[in-house]
Amino acid sequence: MSKVKVSDDLTKILKNFSTINKSIVIEPGNVVSTLSVNKNILAKATVTEEFSKQVAIYDLGVFLGGVSLFDAPVFDLQSDSFVTVQNEKGRSKSRYYYADPEIIVKPPSKDIQLPSVDVQFDLPQEDLQKLLSASSVYQVPDLCVYAEDEKIQVSVRDKKNDTSNSFNVTVGETVEEFCYCFKVENLRMIPGNYRVEISKSNIALFTNRDYDVKYWIALEP
């Protein structure tokens, strides 16, 4: 099928992915993925739509702006040079020309496997949103996961400043000792409930419980 009826979930995922990398190459199939230019954020989603051919978009934000002009958008992938966006009845149409996929930073073809899972916990959407809001309010750049009094704590703070403002949430129990930190600016996930798995090899996997989407995010050394 050369036509893809676009769901709200696909639009939401693509909008989120545009915050990770403004360009994207969608390969044939039902998996959409993106990799940040700095190669420290990888995101991958399994969607209900099936793409019959490769779609290379240079400016995903502009493309999605065009898609928003349609109430029930459909992608027509017949052409090898461009994608036609239209409504279901085909009365309105928009043409967007493909980019050269070779100029776009693309994810690896294989999934990343964590070398080990050294810390894992659930992070509800409410807690994640509070942490991100606190980071904005206090203007602190780091989110750290650490052990304290046999509890797993998640805190936003400035790890270079011992007296910085902070906000923390208890997310589990542990008998281990550890501290892992992310840059808040790298936590570009869609809202939702997450399962978080952290490897001491400085990479973490955030698995969304509400959508079939995963994010691999590098830790700060």
Side-chain angles (χ1 to χ4, degrees):
M1 292 289 291
S2 64
K3 292 188 177 181
V4 177
K5 186 176 179 181
V6 181
S7 66
D8 290 341
D9 284 351
L10 177 61
T11 301
K12 180 180 291 187
I13 288 167
L14 290 177
K15 283 181 178 177
N16 171 249
F17 283 12
S18 72
T19 68
I20 297 171
N21 187 335
K22 77 167 190 174
S23 305
I24 195 169
V25 177
I26 302 174
E27 300 293 350
N30 67 335
V31 175
V32 180
S33 58
T34 190
L35 178 67
S36 65
V37 173
N38 292 331
K39 299 184 178 181
N40 55 357
I41 310 168
L42 167 65
K44 185 170 289 191
T46 301
V47 298
T48 56
E49 292 82 356
E50 187 82 24
F51 288 83
S52 59
K53 62 176 60 174
Q54 186 185 75
V55 175
I57 303 296
Y58 181 72
D59 195 322
L60 188 53
V62 170
F63 175 70
L64 291 172
V67 173
S68 70
L69 299 173
F70 300 88
D71 292 331
V74 175
F75 296 164
D76 188 332
L77 306 177
Q78 290 187 64
S79 172
D80 291 328
S81 303
F82 56 82
V83 54
T84 300
V85 186
Q86 61 188 50
N87 59 18
E88 285 189 281
K89 295 182 179 179
R91 292 184 62 248
S92 303
K93 293 183 179 180
S94 177
R95 181 177 292 181
Y96 190 97
Y97 280 86
Y98 295 138
D100 179 355
E102 296 304 315
I103 68 171
I104 297 173
V105 175
K106 297 185 289 293
S109 56
K110 294 182 179 179
D111 274 358
I112 294 177
Q113 300 296 325
L114 294 185
S116 61
V117 177
D118 300 290
V119 181
Q120 55 186 325
F121 57 90
D122 289 316
L123 186 59
Q125 177 176 339
E126 181 182 5
D127 289 347
L128 176 59
Q129 191 55 53
K130 285 181 179 178
L131 287 159
L132 296 178
S133 296
S135 171
S136 177
V137 168
Y138 291 143
Q139 294 291 292
V140 288
D142 303 301
L143 182 143
C144 296
V145 180
Y146 60 95
E148 184 178 73
D149 298 328
E150 298 188 346
K151 304 289 185 183
I152 302 175
Q153 304 284 352
V154 182
S155 172
V156 287
R157 62 193 189 196
D158 184 346
K159 67 186 181 75
K160 294 180 180 179
N161 180 1
D162 292 339
T163 61
S164 79
N165 296 320
S166 64
F167 176 88
N168 72 289
V169 178
T170 302
V171 294
E173 298 181 351
T174 184
V175 294
E176 305 293 332
E177 299 244 344
F178 54 81
C179 182
Y180 301 105
C181 293
F182 305 85
K183 285 297 182 188
V184 172
E185 65 184 26
N186 291 337
L187 302 176
R188 304 179 192 178
M189 298 94 68
I190 58 174
N193 302 295
Y194 282 88
R195 181 64 175 173
V196 183
E197 298 169 282
I198 300 176
S199 170
K200 61 185 177 184
S201 298
N202 282 343
I203 188 168
L205 171 60
F206 289 73
T207 302
N208 193 298
R209 298 288 205 183
D210 309 300
Y211 298 91
D212 193 353
V213 58
K214 297 179 179 180
Y215 302 83
W216 290 262
I217 301 175
L219 281 75
E220 290 300 291

